[in-house]
Amino acid sequence: MPARVLTVAGSDSGGGAGIQADLKTMLALGTHGMSVLTAVTAQNSLGVQGVWELPVEAVRAQYRSVVDDIGVQAVKTGMLASTELVEAVAELLAGTDTPAVVDPVGVSKHGDSLLAEAALDSVRTKLLPVATVATPNLDEVLQLTGVRVTAESDLRRAAAALLEFGPRWALIKGGHLTGEAVDLLTDGSEELWLRAPRHDNRHTHGTGCTLASAIAAGLAKGLGVPEAVTAAKEYVTGAIAAGFALGEGIGPVDHGWRFRG
């Protein structure tokens, strides 16, 4: 039986991010992906045209349906949208004895808001404390901690601020900086700097979802956090390099890049 990974996130109708990107990543990495849908979006390469949250009861029912029967070996969270959803999912994670990768999605690749301002405090006080790994990008770090990262030297300060909210590990993604694509993974004592060449490719929709799902897949297969993050960084770097045009805007990364001839 393949390792079982559960994503709790929103749907991207364009297939580049969200639940769709998560499941593609999980399949590409040899795991069985399962899903709890938190919201439906009307979304394409140009942006997000609409968002409809699912009721909290529907999210709880999906989660319990999967976990109680099939079981999970890692959970990944993405778009949670509202305070009510954040708190419900945090409660579910706290009651599940399995690693949790929290991608605190705040805005889409196109700059569209995917998290209510009022929900930020619940992310800090409820969701981050139950995270095995939290994976914010620099905009999300600023939202959550107030730390503005403008250079690689700021990453350590950003990680320290995030760890104060309780995740076991912080992965601060420096993809929005110039130069190399550098990320910092730390638990406050151990540090791992991950570097990759920056590819000249604007088709990067779904990078955050893909990275978090790849980490969850690694944890489900029994890897430690540093090993899972290292493998996920390698996978997403290849997916970015193979990203392709789709529609008139920002295309997706290629989740199946390892299968191309």
Side-chain angles (χ1 to χ4, degrees), residues 83 86-87 90 118-129:
T83 300
V86 169
E87 293 186 353
L120 285 172
D121 191 55
S122 292
V123 172
R124 298 183 191 103
T125 61
K126 305 289 188 182
L127 189 61
L128 289 176

Side-chain angles (χ1 to χ4, degrees), residues 22-112:
D22 297 339
L23 293 176
K24 292 174 187 177
T25 300
M26 293 167 187
L27 177 64
L29 295 177
T31 63
H32 175 67
M34 303 168 291
S35 60
V36 170
L37 202 63
T38 61
V40 175
T41 70
Q43 187 172 169
N44 56 25
S45 69
L46 299 173
V48 179
Q49 291 79 44
V51 177
W52 297 268
E53 294 173 31
L54 267 69
V56 168
E57 310 86 73
V59 171
R60 282 203 187 99
Q62 291 175 82
Y63 190 97
R64 291 264 60 94
S65 179
V66 171
V67 173
D68 294 347
D69 173 49
I70 301 170
V72 297
Q73 288 158 295
V75 182
K76 174 261 177 186
T77 71
M79 175 187 173
L80 299 181
S82 69
T83 300
E84 294 76 17
L85 286 174
V86 169
E87 293 186 353
V89 170
E91 181 183 351
L92 290 165
L93 292 177
T96 308
D97 186 20
T98 195
V101 180
V102 171
D103 183 15
V105 175
V107 295
S108 76
K109 182 66 68 177
H110 306 87
D112 302 291

Side-chain angles (χ1 to χ4, degrees), residues 206-252:
T207 50
C209 306
T210 300
L211 180 65
S213 294
I215 295 169
L219 295 176
K221 291 191 286 187
L223 297 180
V225 170
E227 293 77 19
V229 171
T230 299
K233 173 80 169 181
E234 179 186 352
Y235 171 73
V236 79
T237 299
I240 291 170
F244 53 90
L246 199 69
E248 300 299 319
I250 299 172

